[in-house]
Amino acid sequence: MATRNPPVPTAGAPAPTSGAPRDAYVIGGNRIPFARAGGKYSRASNQEMFTAALEGLVARYGLQGERLGEVVGGAVLKHARDFNLVRESVLGSSLSAQTPAYDLQQACATGLEAAIAVSNKIRLGQVESGVAGGSDTVSDAPIAVSEGLRRALLEASHAKTFGARVKAFGSVRPSDLAPLTPSTDEPRTGLSMGEHQAITTARWGITREAQDALALASHEHLAAAWDAGFFDDLVTPHRGLVRDQNLRADSSLEKLARLKPVYGKRLGGSPDDSGHRDGPEPTMTAGNSTPLTDGASTVLLGSREWASERNLPLLARVVDAETAAVDYVHGHEGLLMAPAHAVPRLLARNGLMLGDLDFYEIHEAFASTVLTTLAAWEDDEYCRTELGLDGRLGSIDRGRLNVTGSSLAAGHPFAATGGRIVATAAKLVARKAAETGGTTRALISVCAAGGLGVAMILESVHSTDATA
Amino acid sequence: MRVETLPAVPGLGGLYGKGLAASGRLMMTRRLPGGGASDLALPDVAYRVAGVATGDDAAPGAVGSAAHLARYAQVVGEAPSEHLPAGYLHVLGFPLATALMVRGDFPLSLLGMVHLANAVSLVRPVRLGDTLEVRAWAQDLRPHRKGVQVDLVTEISVERTDDERAAGVGLPATTFAYRGVSTYLAKGTRLPDDSAGRTPEAHRDTGRDAQTFQPPLPTARWSLDGGTGRAYAAVSGDRNPIHTSALGAKAFGFPRAIAHGMYTAARALAESGAGRGETYDWTVSFAKPALLPSTVDVAIRPAADASARGRQDVEQVEAPVPDGAGDPRTGLTYVAWDRAGRPHLSGRVAPRP
């Protein structure tokens, strides 16, 4: 039971690029500002938001009437009627109606996995161009009926006589009439994502102070990037929102320190009458955890030839990507620790060291998610026993981490986060390469429900041919 | 031991009425505290029911039918399957064990009896469509710090099909599939040779003081709503009022209804996952009952992980070790506790070697 697969060394695996016919490039991105749940987009559907982000992308890159190779995206909280969410959004956009589309869903990694899917088709020559993205709304989330009522409704719809239809409802109890709202609880554990992360935080001994400092840095970096105009060509205003609504430019360590913990309060049992508790002190607050958010994002990808024909820029080459999953159900690994596994495999396959990256875009599901991941890579024993490495993966230069802010400040509309990060990272490497003339690389990692994690490496395009 | 064959598995509702009457009779004849030594003997009889149908041959919606199994699976969180999980086999055999406990010559009162522990071995898979033979008997009456404990044993075998019988002349008529041992405590009753329950053996079974329990980091959380007892009562047939109504629970000294111990154990079994395999051992020891509604923290970990980390999530009360139980470092151990960090139950699920 629960047998442990021995860690598989990956350093010897062949690089997939060796056999790939050609490269896929990030050309640009567009998103709408992210809104706090119940905020500016409280009446906006996923389809409206994804269409808005897509339409902004079309306008920015002059794609009206174009037949793209495909548009791929999805939403985590999805209505049954949205079975073809992305295709419906394409039909509502000014792209050619002949642009195919499909929905993809991998929890919070939906957007990044969509970018992998599109770039792989480009690399194989199956498509010349494509859009990857995602949308999510907590404000317009689906509400389901209870299992008892659902069973009765199904039985009634299959019943052949009036009497049988009435009988089908006989089993419905008053409690069955309460609606079911979506939750972020893991189905197999009943623990919310925050509670899972509180356990991982306790196991790694991440302090409240370190989490608050990371949260503050996220707000400061995002505010500075907005002020510097970094997002001017990455974001299209929507429904009166011009900046990410969750951003608090005036946040401070003092303000963050005043917030009460919201997760991990039960670990080790409640405090006794004298306030003594046996378990670890709870450290995760609303300030160092990502709030529920609404929004949508898109990324335009293409082959060099396709971009060249349209005189579009090449921001970054998609080097490679890796998806990992961890055994969290019985507590062997933390729910959100899969990126810690994906990244070393990705680096090894591409002959890179952790320090070879110029930018680290680590999705801030919680401040402690980033910190536990970094702590894991610095832990010699963990890296040997759990990751199958010879020793610690290493430390990163914190000055290269989430330099224009991340989800703690911007918010995290689940499926929209991947697109936000890919576009940001591509622009960062393009800008730095233009300044320095050298090769610049960014590492992206996104954790997701179900113990999933996705990582990607982007690399700058040589300056002489960055604009094809 | 004499084997008495019953025509069918009796209904629990009638048995509870009979149990109530028998308990009253026991009180009237003062066979409880201070009763004579000769009275505290278990009936020397095993009940047997053959030809218990499951699947399409079971009565529609009755225990053993596909629809009933599906309802059970939904309540305890088992993955939908044509296999009868061990918790379901416990439900199937429970009325026969109860029938023994309400016999006039059973020396302990069913009412207020406390379920201490359960040890189950599923040695071959049982599927919908199998025809079963169920046997139950009581054994091993012995002292406990707070009274007398007794084991109720239920065994389930799968009857061979006509084809199998035709093919294998001389084969036994059934193959053994399941053995469950439920340990109950009758408080206040004393065995004559129990010098007031001060034997070391009696103390051993109560395990460590709950005060020494340190909750480990949880791996799961159960939000048990107020209807949990009624939901499990509906699929198990165990409609003991302490599980289904606050009023019924108050009559027995609980502030609110309490979850069925076997519901929590069955849920831990379900959440041990596919790694338990098709045949497994499953033990549970019950500590403090879980009040309804309540939120229960749970740690279900590979035994190897648990011992490597020196976790203290081992049993509070030692459950009997199932026959043929393998290496204690295999399988999963589980423990569940309340908001204040007091344990509800603990146990182990291990694939059979």
Side-chain angles (χ1 to χ4, degrees):
Chain A
M1 185 177 308
T3 50
R4 301 266 154 266
N5 292 325
V8 180
T10 47
T17 45
S18 60
R22 60 176 185 175
D23 284 317
Y25 296 87
V26 178
I27 293 168
N30 187 65
R31 68 177 175 96
I32 57 174
F34 293 166
R36 285 179 70 90
K40 287 275 188 184
Y41 304 159
S42 58
R43 298 191 65 83
S45 68
N46 274 325
Q47 189 174 322
E48 176 197 317
M49 292 192 295
F50 191 73
T51 306
L54 184 62
E55 199 59 5
L57 187 80
V58 168
R60 206 178 287 290
Y61 295 95
L63 303 174
Q64 293 85 352
E66 282 265 6
R67 176 170 67 87
L68 299 183
E70 65 184 8
V71 179
V72 183
V76 175
L77 297 178
K78 197 166 159 181
H79 293 268
R81 64 172 179 265
D82 282 342
F83 59 93
N84 244 343
L85 171 67
V86 179
R87 171 61 180 156
E88 292 299 330
S89 300
V90 167
L91 287 172
S93 77
S94 48
L95 286 171
S96 162
Q98 293 183 330
T99 299
Y102 68 91
D103 282 26
L104 173 154
Q105 207 258 60
Q106 197 181 42
C108 304
T110 298
L112 187 54
E113 196 66 68
I116 296 171
V118 171
S119 64
N120 283 349
K121 273 202 188 179
I122 293 169
R123 287 160 78 164
L124 284 172
Q126 293 173 339
V127 296
E128 293 297 322
S129 63
V131 173
S135 174
D136 254 297
T137 167
V138 181
S139 306
D140 188 45
I143 290 182
V145 300
S146 71
E147 187 61 17
L149 183 54
R150 192 180 73 89
R151 278 273 144 225
L153 288 166
L154 286 169
E155 268 177 44
S157 73
H158 296 149
K160 291 194 169 51
T161 66
F162 178 75
R165 269 196 290 279
V166 171
K167 189 163 170 265
F169 287 105
S171 63
V172 176
R173 302 275 165 266
S175 60
D176 288 335
L177 299 178
L180 296 180
T181 49
S183 82
T184 58
D185 292 357
E186 280 296 322
R188 283 180 188 274
T189 65
L191 287 163
S192 70
M193 196 173 271
E195 289 296 325
H196 265 290
Q197 183 56 34
I199 293 164
T200 313
T201 305
R203 194 189 272 185
W204 286 97
I206 305 298
T207 65
R208 167 78 183 264
E209 292 71 27
Q211 294 173 56
D212 285 352
L214 192 95
L216 180 64
S218 188
H219 284 277
E220 288 175 346
H221 290 163
L222 187 74
W226 273 107
D227 291 345
F230 182 84
F231 295 110
D232 288 355
D233 59 353
L234 293 174
V235 180
T236 306
H238 187 62
R239 289 200 178 240
L241 196 58
V242 296
R243 277 196 183 192
D244 299 309
Q245 194 182 0
N246 185 60
L247 172 60
R248 291 172 196 274
D250 62 344
S251 190
S252 70
L253 284 179
E254 292 69 36
K255 285 180 184 172
L256 287 166
R258 281 202 292 272
L259 298 171
K260 283 200 169 67
V262 290
Y263 299 117
K265 293 191 287 189
R266 270 185 71 140
L267 297 183
S270 302
D272 60 22
D273 295 337
S274 60
H276 170 78
R277 46 183 304 132
D278 293 319
E281 282 296 325
T283 56
M284 294 171 61
T285 68
N288 58 41
S289 307
T290 304
L292 294 173
T293 335
D294 307 333
S297 71
T298 56
V299 176
L300 178 63
L301 297 124
S303 68
R304 177 181 289 269
E305 297 73 22
W306 187 85
S308 168
E309 286 163 14
R310 284 156 188 79
N311 202 26
L312 295 175
L314 301 178
L315 290 184
R317 181 172 72 90
V318 178
V319 177
D320 196 5
E322 173 83 9
T323 301
V326 294
D327 178 8
Y328 69 94
V329 176
H330 295 135
H332 182 76
E333 179 60 284
L335 176 72
L336 302 180
M337 290 297 282
H341 296 243
V343 166
R345 301 204 300 243
L346 178 63
L347 292 174
R349 190 164 61 221
N350 290 277
L352 293 170
M353 310 288 281
L354 187 61
D356 292 339
L357 286 304
D358 300 273
F359 298 101
Y360 302 91
E361 284 290 332
I362 304 179
H363 162 51
E364 298 165 342
F366 304 91
S368 73
T369 316
V370 179
L371 295 167
T372 50
T373 302
L374 297 181
W377 289 338
E378 291 171 356
D379 189 293
D380 193 69
E381 194 199 339
Y382 175 89
C383 287
R384 278 190 284 105
T385 58
E386 298 298 323
L387 305 183
L389 304 175
D390 294 334
R392 67 199 290 274
L393 183 68
S395 304
I396 68 162
D397 175 355
R398 294 285 284 273
R400 302 177 181 185
L401 173 67
N402 299 346
V403 295
T404 54
S406 187
S407 303
L408 284 167
H412 169 44
F414 313 122
T417 287
R420 173 186 70 76
I421 297 179
V422 170
T424 297
K427 182 169 174 178
L428 284 171
V429 296
R431 195 174 65 169
K432 179 153 194 236
E435 287 165 12
T436 63
T439 300
T440 307
R441 294 186 196 91
L443 173 72
I444 298 167
S445 93
V446 175
C447 57
L452 294 162
V454 184
M456 177 185 269
I457 295 172
L458 296 179
E459 189 176 279
S460 59
V461 184
H462 199 267
S463 57
T464 54
D465 54 19
T467 305
Chain B
M1 188 178 286
R2 186 167 58 84
V3 175
E4 191 175 315
T5 299
L6 307 184
V9 177
L12 273 177
L15 291 176
Y16 280 134
K18 206 175 160 193
L20 212 62
S23 299
R25 193 169 58 246
L26 283 172
M27 275 179 244
M28 292 297 287
T29 53
R30 288 196 47 79
R31 282 205 273 180
L32 287 175
S38 58
D39 292 326
L40 286 177
L42 294 170
D44 190 34
V45 62
Y47 281 155
R48 167 181 178 270
V49 178
V52 177
T54 69
D56 294 343
D57 296 331
V63 178
S65 68
H68 189 271
L69 175 62
R71 279 207 303 279
Y72 170 87
Q74 209 221 327
V75 168
V76 304
E78 281 282 347
S81 165
E82 62 163 357
H83 283 232
L84 276 54
Y88 193 74
L89 292 169
H90 173 85
V91 165
L92 196 143
F94 183 63
L96 209 56
T98 307
L100 266 160
M101 291 194 278
V102 301
R103 279 173 63 100
D105 58 352
F106 193 78
L108 306 169
S109 160
L110 177 70
L111 222 59
M113 202 119 85
V114 180
H115 194 176
L116 290 181
N118 221 55
V120 165
S121 293
L122 181 65
V123 304
R124 68 150 275 183
V126 180
R127 295 180 185 82
L128 285 176
D130 286 343
T131 303
L132 309 178
E133 180 179 313
V134 187
R135 284 171 188 250
W137 65 91
Q139 68 181 29
D140 207 6
L141 197 65
R142 58 197 187 278
H144 180 279
R145 187 167 52 94
K146 293 180 177 171
V148 173
Q149 52 187 332
V150 63
D151 289 342
L152 270 293
V153 183
T154 305
E155 287 189 351
I156 297 176
S157 303
V158 178
E159 294 183 0
R160 290 189 195 281
T161 61
D162 294 342
D163 288 350
E164 285 171 341
R165 286 197 189 107
V169 181
L171 282 177
T174 61
T175 51
F176 177 64
Y178 165 98
R179 178 185 166 93
V181 181
S182 299
T183 305
Y184 293 94
L185 163 69
K187 280 188 189 172
T189 310
R190 292 277 173 229
L191 287 175
D193 56 352
D194 177 22
S195 38
R198 284 196 290 269
T199 60
E201 169 70 15
H203 282 288
R204 194 186 67 81
D205 282 339
T206 62
R208 278 181 288 154
D209 187 347
Q211 292 298 322
T212 66
F213 174 73
Q214 291 284 327
L217 289 175
T219 64
R221 183 165 292 166
W222 297 340
S223 297
L224 306 181
D225 66 31
T228 303
R230 288 185 290 277
Y232 186 75
V235 293
S236 69
D238 182 355
R239 298 176 193 277
N240 190 327
I242 58 171
H243 303 305
T244 57
S245 83
L247 218 59
K250 282 200 177 85
F252 287 88
F254 295 102
R256 306 197 296 273
I258 60 172
H260 293 78
M262 286 310 290
Y263 163 79
T264 55
R267 189 155 172 184
L269 173 65
E271 293 182 10
S272 65
R276 74 190 184 200
E278 289 200 323
T279 62
Y280 44 86
D281 295 321
W282 165 43
T283 63
V284 59
S285 300
F286 298 109
K288 188 179 175 292
L291 297 173
L292 297 174
S294 70
T295 303
V296 173
D297 277 5
V298 191
I300 307 177
R301 288 177 195 282
D305 266 13
S307 54
R309 293 207 165 80
R311 298 251 182 247
Q312 299 181 41
D313 48 357
V314 285
E315 276 100 311
Q316 296 300 298
V317 183
E318 279 179 48
V321 179
D323 297 338
D327 185 336
R329 289 165 298 181
T330 64
L332 297 163
T333 61
Y334 64 88
V335 60
W337 60 95
D338 69 5
R339 175 175 285 275
R342 290 168 299 195
H344 289 308
L345 73 159
S346 59
R348 180 164 171 257
V349 179
R352 287 186 67 84

